[in-house]
Amino acid sequence: MACIAIVTPRLSAQDTAATHFVNSLLGRMTLEEKAGQLNLLRGAGVPTGPASAPGSDSSIITGRVGLFYGVRGLSETRRIQRIAVERTRLRIPILFADDAIHGYHTIFPTPLAEAASWDPSAAEASARVTAIEVANDGIQWTYAPMVDIARDPRWGRIVEGSGEDPYLGSVFAAARVRGFQGASPRVIATAKHFVAYGAAEGGRDYNTAEVSDSTLAQIYLPPFKAAIDAGAMSVMAGFDALNGVPMHENRRLITGLLRDTWHFGGIVVSDYTGIMELLHHGVAGTRAEAAERAINAGVDADMVSEIYVNELPGLVRSGRVKLATVDASVRRILRAKYELGLFNDPYRYGDSTAPDTLFRGEARRIARESIVLLENRQHTLPFSKNIKTLAVIGALAADSASALGPWAAIGRPEQAISVLTGIRRAVSSGTSIIYGTDASAAQNADAIVLVVGENRDMSGEASSRALLDLPGDQEQLAEAVIATGKPVAVVLMNGRPLSVGWLADHAPAMIDAWFLGSEMGNAVADVLFGDYNPGGKLPVTFPRTVGQVPLYYDHLPTGRPPDPNEHYTSKYIDEPWTPLYPFGYGLSYTTFAYDSLTTKVVGDTLHVSAVVRNTGDRAGDAVAQCYTHTLVAHVSRPVRVLQGFRRVALASGERRTLTFAIPVGRLGVDEPTTVDVYVGPSSAEGLLGHATVRP
């Protein structure tokens, strides 16, 4: 038998120093201190007294806490850090975390809205600003990005991710990780929620998920892999039980896949009370058993429930948990603190001189890019700034808190620009603005802006909806306003796809403005009055009715595809099978045309080229999208799969040749076959080409 050489990777001097330091410190720790490093407690914002947070001073002093979540304000993070490094036996600094999902002080578009920009550089830029702002408060760890794929808009947390597509989601996941971790100050990024949390049955938050291994691999795992490949230092376990196994005890995926196969060496953190909830899942009968299952699965940090700190020492002494298992988790916590430089300077995060101003320029730019023009009949938009009388109707128009959206961190509603305020700032001095919440405000107006949709509390965690219609009597309000026959522009505020079929059929113009953050009103006004030409595209399919859900573009073909002329095909008898708006859809104030599609296979790469032209009379952004369909394979392949996209700015008459390089391995080819290639403005239209591909 031939000898097999075992090669040990050579560590850099920095890695060697880190390993030596962490091992030396670990060797001096008691078992109780080790358990304390895995204990993540919640602070109460800026406490009113020295022991008002759940992790009181005495817990810090005795080494029972190594991590804090939700402590805000530099004075308080510094106070707690000072206790940790000046009054504890081993002087181990605290690692502070927070939920900075789409901003911290400056609030950017919610992640689903930001994904509508189809501009990864925008996501990277907003994450960079967020990193700066949380670091100024002494925080080194953010629980973002959420990279869950979501295909059921009833699920409230769809607003926190990048939509339904694994490729788009992967690109945005990597961009956000780079934004958080790619420059100084470096803030730990957390890819969450591992995994298939977005597949919650019935769209009901915290519910179970049933997902095949192939669907898991093709749809739900890729954004996590992209985040880890981009360097994410943390992963959060999901609340879901996947195929009957709660994720907080899923050793097969956390240790087997994440650690052993993907070689992830960072922190796996529980979600809020996630370890304790193993009791509710029915897989643990006691808190000790919950701790045993979670630590053996590979969950390093216990958020809030204080199970690890109380149960792990006894579990190790009884032999139910190996000391080496606990040590491995503690090493990962200590290594993160070392890599962030906290042992060298525990106060390096925090800037008391940081100006109390928002990054408004970046927030406005990204908010404008995220707006999607859904309808524009007879060129209703843009409105003139010199219009004599403009009615702005709808309670949401003046709701600056809802402009921020859910998970707005420390964003202050009084600093956010509402749609009404943005419009008032944009129009000429001779324009009269009439604001109201009913149709009577439209009577004396020359044109109308109607703002409808959801308020911020209707999207986000624990905000699942059984219906996707406009809430309350908003559709009746829209009917009355549009019945005036005056020019009407509908502005949707929403954290999910809504069933707005009546508006799609009758509104003269409609934009999806989502929840755009601190600069929402200014961004919306920029689009309404033509200072900015909207170029956003939907990152998620809009259904006609909730009865179509789940509905997504990259579905598998059936043996009886939908056919309006045949009865026994895959369709509904009471509603079209097609979506209201398809994935990738979005209009512009200009027009674009695509031509000259070519394909060529070179080695293991499919090269696709096409020309996009601005055929209208004004500059605008085109989002060219490249899709494929593998015609024959041993396993059925989706009707279309997004393989690449480019957002490009084109002047009137300008043309641009775009190229896409697609690894053949992404095509699902297992025998020589033909691949259809599409390049165009959405998943539902575009040029068609072909390529012969071999595995």
Side-chain angles (χ1 to χ4, degrees):
M1 180 181 293
C3 294
I4 300 176
I6 300 176
V7 179
T8 301
R10 297 183 63 182
L11 297 177
S12 67
Q14 183 176 358
D15 285 335
T16 301
T19 300
H20 176 76
F21 178 88
V22 168
N23 285 341
S24 175
L25 180 58
L26 192 69
R28 291 182 284 134
M29 296 175 71
T30 67
L31 185 51
E32 284 71 20
E33 287 169 330
K34 292 176 181 179
Q37 284 299 301
L38 309 183
N39 188 26
L40 195 162
L41 293 185
R42 177 173 179 173
V46 180
T48 57
S52 59
S56 64
D57 291 2
S58 61
S59 293
I60 302 169
I61 293 169
T62 55
R64 284 179 54 84
V65 56
L67 314 157
F68 266 102
Y69 155 66
V71 178
R72 293 171 174 170
L74 181 58
S75 61
E76 184 61 12
T77 55
R78 282 279 172 88
R79 187 190 71 81
I80 291 174
Q81 193 71 286
R82 194 170 294 111
I83 294 171
V85 300
E86 295 178 9
R87 299 176 62 187
T88 62
R89 188 178 76 89
L90 294 176
R91 304 179 184 273
I92 300 174
I94 296 289
L95 187 60
F96 293 96
D98 209 337
D99 281 301
I101 308 301
H102 56 110
Y104 185 69
H105 185 40
T106 306
I107 306 302
F108 292 90
T110 54
L112 185 65
E114 192 175 65
S117 72
W118 290 60
D119 180 2
S121 69
E124 185 170 346
S126 68
R128 178 92 299 270
V129 169
T130 302
I132 292 169
E133 291 186 342
V134 299
N136 285 342
D137 252 8
I139 297 165
Q140 312 97 358
W141 185 5
T142 178
Y143 294 152
M146 193 195 91
V147 303
D148 295 303
I149 297 300
R151 301 187 155 194
D152 190 333
R154 294 173 296 180
W155 189 54
R157 301 194 80 169
I158 191 173
V159 70
E160 296 177 46
S162 297
E164 71 185 49
D165 182 71
Y167 179 78
L168 184 68
S170 295
V171 172
F172 271 79
R176 289 174 175 134
V177 170
R178 291 194 300 270
F180 287 128
Q181 295 187 182
S184 180
R186 185 185 188 193
V187 172
I188 294 175
T190 304
K192 67 180 189 183
H193 308 82
F194 193 76
V195 59
Y197 180 39
E201 191 173 85
R204 201 168 73 250
D205 208 0
Y206 316 119
N207 208 2
T208 59
E210 291 288 330
V211 178
S212 70
D213 282 351
S214 61
T215 300
L216 191 68
Q218 295 169 18
I219 304 300
Y220 294 100
L221 284 172
F224 285 95
K225 183 62 162 61
I228 289 167
D229 288 346
M233 295 173 66
S234 175
V235 169
M236 182 181 289
F239 281 124
D240 56 308
L242 178 60
N243 302 329
V245 182
M247 281 308 306
H248 282 77
E249 68 147 1
N250 199 317
R251 181 175 175 82
R252 180 177 78 97
L253 291 176
I254 293 176
T255 295
L257 177 68
L258 195 60
R259 298 262 189 231
D260 297 343
T261 302
W262 290 358
H263 306 294
F264 174 66
I267 299 168
V268 174
V269 59
S270 83
D271 208 334
Y272 198 98
T273 68
I275 294 175
M276 179 274 291
E277 290 170 25
L278 292 177
L279 280 75
H280 301 319
H281 280 289
V283 297
T286 64
R287 290 170 64 88
E289 189 175 357
E292 178 184 359
R293 288 183 174 275
I295 194 75
N296 285 333
V299 178
D300 298 314
D302 171 21
M303 193 192 303
V304 176
S305 58
E306 296 192 79
I307 287 179
Y308 276 3
V309 70
N310 291 319
E311 304 294 343
L312 282 180
L315 289 169
V316 171
R317 292 186 176 104
S318 68
R320 291 169 61 183
V321 171
K322 295 179 180 179
L323 178 60
T325 300
V326 173
D327 284 352
S329 289
V330 177
R331 279 193 185 93
R332 288 188 277 266
I333 301 294
L334 297 177
R335 180 64 181 254
K337 294 179 179 182
Y338 182 92
E339 290 184 358
L340 293 175
L342 296 180
F343 285 104
N344 184 53
D345 179 5
Y347 308 113
R348 64 179 304 187
Y349 284 77
D351 184 359
S352 60
T353 67
D356 186 27
T357 56
L358 305 185
F359 286 77
R360 289 198 176 272
E362 282 288 83
R364 187 169 183 168
R365 176 182 70 83
I366 296 171
R368 298 193 308 186
E369 285 193 10
S370 303
I371 294 172
V372 182
L373 179 63
L374 298 174
E375 303 288 347
N376 197 23
R377 296 179 172 90
Q378 286 79 50
H379 304 287
T380 299
L381 288 176
F383 286 153
S384 169
K385 291 183 180 179
N386 297 314
I387 195 167
K388 184 177 180 181
T389 305
L390 180 68
V392 180
I393 299 176
L396 287 171
D399 189 346
S400 60
S402 286
L404 296 177
W407 290 111
I410 63 171
R412 291 156 51 188
E414 65 271 20
Q415 290 184 317
I417 309 300
S418 70
V419 173
L420 178 61
T421 298
I423 289 173
R424 283 176 168 159
R425 290 181 174 184
V427 296
S428 69
S429 59
T431 298
S432 174
I433 300 292
I434 302 171
Y435 171 65
T437 58
D438 58 43
S440 64
Q443 292 178 359
N444 299 315
D446 297 302
I448 303 160
V449 175
L450 174 64
V451 185
V452 293
E454 302 177 311
N455 64 45
R456 67 188 293 183
D457 296 327
M458 297 188 73
S459 289
E461 186 171 355
S463 295
S464 301
R465 292 185 61 191
L467 301 176
L468 299 176
D469 305 326
L470 289 175
D473 60 359
Q474 291 184 93
E475 185 164 312
Q476 289 74 26
L477 173 62
E479 291 173 0
V481 169
I482 292 173
T484 64
K486 298 177 180 182
V488 177
V490 176
V491 176
L492 288 181
M493 289 178 63
N494 51 306
R496 53 159 59 82
L498 298 176
S499 299
V500 288
W502 191 91
L503 286 175
D505 290 339
H506 296 91
M510 180 162 59
I511 65 172
D512 196 335
W514 317 96
F515 301 119
L516 294 178
S518 301
E519 283 289 302
M520 178 162 189
N522 288 333
V524 168
D526 287 341
V527 167
L528 292 178
F529 298 106
D531 289 332
Y532 185 81
N533 187 354
K537 300 283 189 174
L538 296 179
V540 63
T541 301
F542 273 47
R544 298 175 185 273
T545 174
V546 73
Q548 291 180 305
V549 171
L551 185 67
Y552 44 90
Y553 86 95
D554 57 341
H555 58 84
L556 295 176
T558 77
R560 294 187 177 185
D563 186 336
N565 300 314
E566 296 290 340
H567 181 69
Y568 293 102
T569 61
S570 181
K571 59 186 180 182
Y572 299 105
I573 64 172
D574 54 357
E575 190 74 39
W577 70 85
T578 55
L580 181 64
Y581 296 114
F583 175 83
Y585 171 85
L587 303 176
S588 171
Y589 293 155
T590 189
T591 55
F592 300 98
Y594 292 80
D595 58 52
S596 306
L597 175 64
T598 64
T599 64
K600 184 178 182 180
V601 178
V602 179
D604 58 0
T605 303
L606 169 61
H607 296 271
V608 179
S609 175
V611 173
V612 57
R613 292 181 293 122
N614 184 339
T615 56
D617 59 2
R618 63 182 296 163
D621 287 3
V623 179
Q625 303 161 43
C626 179
Y627 298 86
T628 63
H629 171 50
T630 300
L631 295 184
V632 178
H634 290 139
V635 177
S636 185
R637 298 293 299 163
V639 294
R640 289 196 185 187
V641 176
L642 181 67
Q643 301 288 3
F645 61 89
R646 290 275 303 281
R647 180 166 180 152
V648 292
L650 298 174
S652 175
E654 185 179 0
R655 56 188 287 134
R656 188 82 57 86
T657 300
L658 304 177
T659 59
F660 304 94
I662 306 167
V664 170
R666 287 218 312 251
L667 301 175
V669 173
D670 50 26
E671 61 183 45
T673 188
T674 298
V675 173
D676 287 343
V677 179
Y678 306 85
V679 176
S682 78
S683 63
E685 55 182 320
L687 300 172
L688 172 61
H690 311 281
T692 299
V693 178
R694 291 175 170 78

